[in-house]
Amino acid sequence: MIGYTARRVASLVPVWLGITLIAFALNAITPGDPARIILEQRSAEAPSQAEVEALREELGLTDPLPVRFARYVGHAATGDLGTSYRTGQPVLSELARRFVVTLQVAVPALVLALALSIPLGVVAASRRNTPVDHVSRLGALVGASVPSFWLAYLLILWLSVGLGLLPVAGRGSWRHLMLPSVTLALGAAAGIARLTRASVLEVLSEEYVRTARAMGVPRRVVLFRHALKNALIPVVTLAGLRFGYLLGGAVIVETVFAWPGLGKHVVDAIHDRDYPTVQGFVLFIGTVFVFVNLAVDALYVRLDPRVRLADRGPGVAA
């Protein structure tokens, strides 16, 4: 397991370098002179050309692009993602602070989504073409089709404005977590439920499942002990991708509920042309996705040891 994880980590290094190149290119091709933007935000008066050129020299913007990219990679590897134009604070510390705030919404949303979707998908598959299956499929289809901002406004109108049970927006207590978490969870649960149903149906058609049934193994034992474990592999993949999306900052939901997480932070940075923050966000969230995928790969091995054998190549024993 340790060797497998080490090989996976080594294989992620080129991926991280690719993300770094994209983040660097994003800043390089964006119109506008960073030196001029910084000076304009420091003073109400328009900067002179001499001041702009001096700051460009100080920031290293006059160096060739390969030199600037190598310097950026070196700084990023040590955790230096630059300084925010707006606040003058290190970009990484600001992103990390907002990331913790986003985690407070994303983790409950993922837990709720899994708690709803996996049982729903299993029940729908085990009751195929029954009213339970039709209702669950319709609910999943509606959940996947409804835009998150519209669902957010519906929940606000119903639970906050109509019943007065929960606050409309902001951050403070656990009650502020409810609406954004439920909004994110319902969207994620719809896709996971549909995939769980399809995956369980596929596994139930396997020969070993039919053999177990022919030997008189109870239906519940076949479903939960033998079929569900194998059916969860594609579900884990989708859940990992959804979690990465939630950690990236569900921009619309955070904006609707005024939740000060990563999504709202990067939207504000785009409005203020705070390029280092946007650039740092791309690299930061790309790195998060890399580690989420690594965790998903490690979970694969726990669910199906054949993944480790396939990674070592044919003819190699575990």
Side-chain angles (χ1 to χ4, degrees):
M1 183 67 183
I2 295 177
Y4 173 81
T5 304
R7 288 193 297 276
R8 297 299 299 168
V9 171
S11 68
L12 293 176
V13 173
V15 178
W16 184 82
L17 288 175
I19 297 171
T20 307
L21 177 60
I22 293 173
F24 176 80
L26 180 68
N27 196 32
I29 65 176
T30 302
D33 188 340
R36 185 175 295 278
I37 293 173
I38 293 174
L39 291 173
E40 287 175 349
Q41 294 193 358
R42 287 178 180 175
S43 173
E45 298 180 359
S48 66
Q49 187 61 32
E51 291 174 325
V52 172
E53 292 298 331
L55 186 55
R56 285 177 56 82
E57 186 73 26
E58 179 184 341
L59 296 176
L61 297 176
T62 56
D63 294 334
L65 283 177
V67 175
R68 290 167 55 189
F69 176 65
R71 185 166 58 230
Y72 179 71
V73 170
H75 289 169
T78 59
D80 181 6
L81 300 184
T83 303
S84 169
Y85 291 168
R86 292 184 301 160
T87 63
Q89 300 296 316
V91 170
L92 182 59
S93 64
E94 293 199 327
L95 291 176
R97 189 163 62 249
R98 265 74 176 193
F99 181 67
V100 173
V101 177
T102 294
L103 270 179
Q104 295 173 355
V105 171
V107 172
L110 183 67
V111 171
L112 180 59
L114 293 176
L116 290 174
S117 60
I118 292 180
L120 184 64
V122 173
V123 170
S126 63
R127 300 287 187 270
R128 186 180 186 184
N129 294 329
T130 64
V132 174
D133 183 26
H134 296 324
V135 171
S136 66
R137 291 167 61 190
L138 179 61
L141 181 62
V142 172
S145 305
V146 173
S148 58
F149 70 90
W150 194 65
L151 178 60
Y153 284 126
L154 282 181
L155 292 175
I156 289 174
L157 287 175
W158 177 35
L159 296 174
S160 299
V161 179
L163 301 177
L165 296 177
L166 297 171
V168 174
R171 175 172 177 254
S173 66
W174 64 269
R175 298 174 69 244
H176 292 85
L177 287 172
M178 296 298 291
L179 288 182
S181 295
V182 170
T183 303
L184 293 172
L186 292 180
I192 297 174
R194 296 174 67 184
L195 181 62
T196 302
R197 177 185 178 276
S199 183
V200 171
L201 283 177
E202 182 178 351
V203 173
L204 289 178
S205 65
E206 295 285 342
E207 186 174 347
Y208 74 92
V209 174
R210 294 199 299 270
T211 301
R213 285 179 174 175
M215 294 176 64
V217 178
R219 179 185 181 86
R220 180 175 300 178
V221 175
V222 172
L223 181 61
F224 289 99
R225 182 175 298 177
H226 302 291
L228 183 57
K229 183 178 179 180
N230 292 330
L232 283 180
I233 292 178
V235 177
V236 168
T237 303
L238 181 59
L241 292 175
R242 295 297 304 190
F243 189 50
Y245 166 74
L246 296 177
L247 293 180
V251 175
I252 295 176
V253 173
E254 288 190 356
T255 302
V256 169
F257 291 105
W259 189 261
L262 271 179
K264 189 173 186 306
H265 182 60
V266 75
V267 168
D268 293 340
I270 292 172
H271 280 305
D272 295 338
R273 295 196 302 170
D274 188 357
Y275 297 141
T277 297
V278 179
Q279 183 184 37
F281 171 80
V282 172
L283 180 57
F284 182 84
I285 204 59
T287 305
V288 169
F289 260 100
V290 166
F291 281 101
V292 169
N293 282 329
L294 178 64
V296 169
D297 288 345
L299 194 54
Y300 276 175
V301 177
R302 302 295 298 179
L303 291 173
D304 188 354
R306 291 175 299 177
V307 174
R308 180 170 46 186
L309 290 175
D311 180 72
R312 289 184 175 186
V316 180

